[in-house]
Amino acid sequence: MSAPPASLIPRPLLFWSGVALTCAGVVEHLWMFIDSASMHFHMSMMDMSAVTMWVAMAAIVVGVVLSGVALVQPRTAGSVAAAPAPMTTASRRRLIAILSFALLVDQMKPATLAFIAPGLRDEYGLSAADVSWLPTVALTGTVLGSLVWGRAADRIGRRATILIASLLFLGTTVCGAMPTFGGTLVMCALMGMAAGGMLPVVYALMTESLPPGRRAAIMVLQAGLTTTGGYMAASGLAAILIPLAGWRVTWFAQLPLVLVLIALNRWIPESAAFTARQTRAKQVPASALFKRPQTAKTLVVSAYALAWGLVYWGFITFLPSQLESAGGHGMSAATLLFLSSLLAIPTCAVGAWLYMRWSARGTMVVYAGLTVVALLTLAAVGMDGSRPLLLATVMLLFAGTAGVIALIGPYTAEIYPLAIRGTAGGWAAAVGKSGGAFGPPLIALVLSAPGGIRTAAVFVALPMALAGLAVAVRGSTPQAATPTPEGITALDAELDDLVSNETVAAQATATTRPPGKGGTRT
């Protein structure tokens, strides 16, 4: 196996020094956690040295910054980035495996929040309203992270952004050692920022590293399986470790996984297409997402992502309590929801096949339609319907939403030009996750209205139906992003023309502006 090119990390000594410094700060926090065993791992009552804790935290911050700086390719006049080595079939398969592992670790972060809430509430003596701030802050962090890292992927590269997000994963594992609830909120917000940045960047790199054909099916299947796998991994760790060492250990248990991900960085190449574009084109502003010919794409993608976020973060959040209060269905709400979540596996497999063999837009419309049918059925029968019908409806709802979230990321990565692909993916992810910020209070308000769960089901079915209609009428076809023999896609050429025309127009305006009004003098 040949060694990777040295240009993968521009300043390797600085990078690994930063990683070592970050690890030192994390290990110090880990040692404080281990030292709390005699107190049943309740660190809120532990007498800790403020100096030691702040020094360890400073080491983490400095280490992440140093490693991040080391990853950014230096830009000098006339410099040309080294082209990545051509990918072989074996290297592509390895990349798929590594990026799937990265998404699995990424999905474990928000999934863990659901399992730590009871222990966190007991240790800090919090009310249910206080604990509700935890997912709100974490999901707000994912929204910001999606926007920031999606844009960074188009500026500093896909590989560098993935590694910086991994470094933030490493540093924020100390969330398990925060002595106060306020400190836990801050670290969870930072952890959310890291998690929000991984997903859109991975899809951008996958789109540019895999040949057309089965690429879309691989990404759709990857999206669905890593989401389910991340939830199952988080729940498995919580079931085994929380009874032994409390809720805090669930964060530290993910530390080895993050270190493995960073160690695998040598097999994550930069996108050859991204590297080539950096040498021949100017940076495209993020505002290009909202200018023709990208406007319709952005509106369609935003509607689809927002509708999913409202259903998943809003409606489904209240489904367990509604099922429990209804009762009499032969199984607990937890059991029903677990079985329903398992449907994500065959659902995503079918979605991947339809996306590749039939139609990308058609598949997205089908899964939006399944979600709408399930919601309208719930609106018709309520929680008092027959047991078989209610169970089938809830499972159909999970199948539809699992397909929607598995499709939106790969679809977005394929329909946008390379120059703004990361930005577009970050925008779509941020819009979907924003449902976690406004979805729960909005649905809680609707549930208090006459009709309760029936009214709420109709309320969230409407935007999903409109989103599916928007995809059917104005959705783009991903195959339009297929490269030409010259290596430039029609999408990239289209965007290059847009940027060039705007530059020419700006220069013409500056030249014709009369002196004394801010124009140039001749």
Side-chain angles (χ1 to χ4, degrees):
M1 182 182 298
S2 59
S7 59
L8 281 178
I9 298 179
R11 308 171 188 86
L13 180 60
L14 185 63
F15 174 78
W16 291 112
S17 297
V19 171
L21 195 58
T22 304
C23 287
V26 171
V27 168
E28 180 59 37
H29 283 82
L30 177 59
W31 179 253
M32 288 187 284
F33 167 74
I34 295 173
D35 200 36
S36 68
S38 60
M39 304 173 63
H40 305 288
F41 301 99
H42 281 204
M43 298 183 69
S44 61
M45 300 179 292
M46 187 176 175
D47 184 19
M48 293 179 286
S49 169
V51 174
T52 301
M53 192 165 192
W54 280 109
V55 169
M57 190 63 70
I60 293 172
V61 173
V62 173
V64 170
V65 170
L66 289 179
S67 295
V69 169
L71 287 168
V72 179
Q73 289 282 356
R75 291 182 178 273
T76 58
S79 64
V80 178
M87 296 194 72
T88 63
T89 301
S91 62
R92 288 193 184 100
R93 290 174 178 172
R94 185 170 55 219
L95 179 63
I96 293 171
I98 293 173
L99 294 183
S100 298
F101 178 68
L103 288 180
L104 185 72
V105 175
D106 176 77
Q107 295 295 335
M108 288 179 66
K109 299 295 181 179
T112 301
L113 294 173
F115 304 103
I116 69 171
L120 182 144
R121 180 179 178 180
D122 178 65
E123 179 174 342
Y124 291 126
L126 303 173
S127 65
D130 293 332
V131 174
S132 68
W133 279 102
L134 187 66
T136 300
V137 167
L139 289 170
T140 301
T142 64
V143 172
L144 295 176
S146 296
L147 296 173
V148 170
W149 299 119
R151 186 58 185 160
D154 290 333
R155 299 298 299 269
I156 66 176
R158 284 66 164 121
R159 168 186 160 78
T161 306
I162 288 173
L163 278 176
I164 293 174
S166 300
L167 290 167
L168 283 174
F169 282 163
L170 175 62
T172 53
T173 54
V174 300
C175 187
M178 293 296 103
T180 65
F181 181 56
T184 301
L185 289 178
V186 171
M187 296 309 300
C188 281
L190 294 174
M191 187 180 295
M193 287 194 66
M198 184 68 76
L199 190 136
V201 184
V202 165
Y203 291 147
L205 182 56
M206 289 279 289
T207 300
E208 294 154 18
S209 301
L210 303 181
R214 296 183 179 179
R215 173 181 66 198
I218 291 172
M219 290 196 297
V220 172
L221 194 59
Q222 180 188 54
L225 295 183
T226 54
T227 299
T228 303
Y231 180 85
M232 289 183 173
S235 61
L237 283 176
I240 296 171
L241 297 178
I242 289 180
L244 299 176
W247 64 272
R248 296 177 180 272
V249 74
T250 57
W251 296 124
F252 287 115
Q254 298 175 27
L255 179 59
L257 301 178
V258 178
L259 291 175
V260 169
L261 179 58
I262 294 174
L264 293 173
N265 85 87
R266 59 178 287 153
W267 291 294
I268 304 177
E270 183 54 272
S271 160
F274 174 84
T275 302
R277 182 177 177 82
Q278 292 298 92
T279 64
R280 65 177 175 85
K282 295 182 178 180
Q283 294 287 351
V284 178
S287 59
L289 287 180
F290 305 97
K291 296 180 180 179
R292 297 182 63 185
Q294 314 301 328
T295 310
K297 298 176 188 177
T298 302
L299 292 177
V300 169
V301 166
S302 299
Y304 203 75
L306 186 61
W308 172 83
L310 190 58
V311 174
Y312 187 82
W313 297 115
F315 186 81
I316 292 181
T317 297
F318 292 93
L319 199 55
S321 60
Q322 295 291 320
L323 289 169
E324 288 288 0
S325 61
H329 298 299
M331 65 176 68
S332 68
T335 302
L336 173 58
L337 296 178
F338 175 75
L339 293 176
S340 298
S341 66
L342 289 180
L343 279 178
I345 298 175
T347 293
C348 294
V350 172
W353 188 87
L354 291 173
Y355 192 100
M356 178 181 68
R357 296 292 185 182
W358 175 48
S359 165
R361 291 165 58 188
T363 305
M364 295 178 70
V365 172
V366 166
Y367 278 96
L370 289 177
T371 305
V372 171
V373 168
L375 289 168
L376 293 181
T377 303
L378 275 177
V381 304
M383 294 289 109
D384 301 322
S386 65
R387 186 177 70 179
L389 181 58
L390 182 61
L391 298 184
T393 302
V394 172
M395 290 183 178
L396 183 64
L397 176 61
F398 272 74
T401 54
V404 169
I405 189 56
L407 292 165
I408 184 64
Y411 176 77
T412 303
E414 287 205 299
I415 66 172
Y416 279 93
L418 183 147
I420 55 171
R421 184 167 291 145
T423 304
W427 171 261
V431 171
K433 291 167 184 172
S434 67
F438 71 85
L442 181 61
I443 300 303
L445 182 63
V446 175
L447 285 172
S448 64
I453 191 70
R454 296 171 185 259
T455 304
V458 174
F459 181 80
V460 296
L462 180 59
M464 181 59 76
L466 293 175
L469 180 62
V471 172
V473 176
R474 295 300 302 273
S476 300
T477 302
Q479 285 70 20
T482 302
T484 63
E486 291 76 20
I488 302 175
T489 70
L491 290 174
D492 294 331
E494 183 181 78
L495 193 61
D496 285 343
D497 290 341
L498 174 65
V499 175
S500 298
N501 291 338
E502 288 186 346
T503 302
V504 170
Q507 291 174 346
T509 302
T511 303
T512 57
R513 187 175 296 156
K517 299 293 184 180
T520 56
R521 297 184 179 182
T522 56

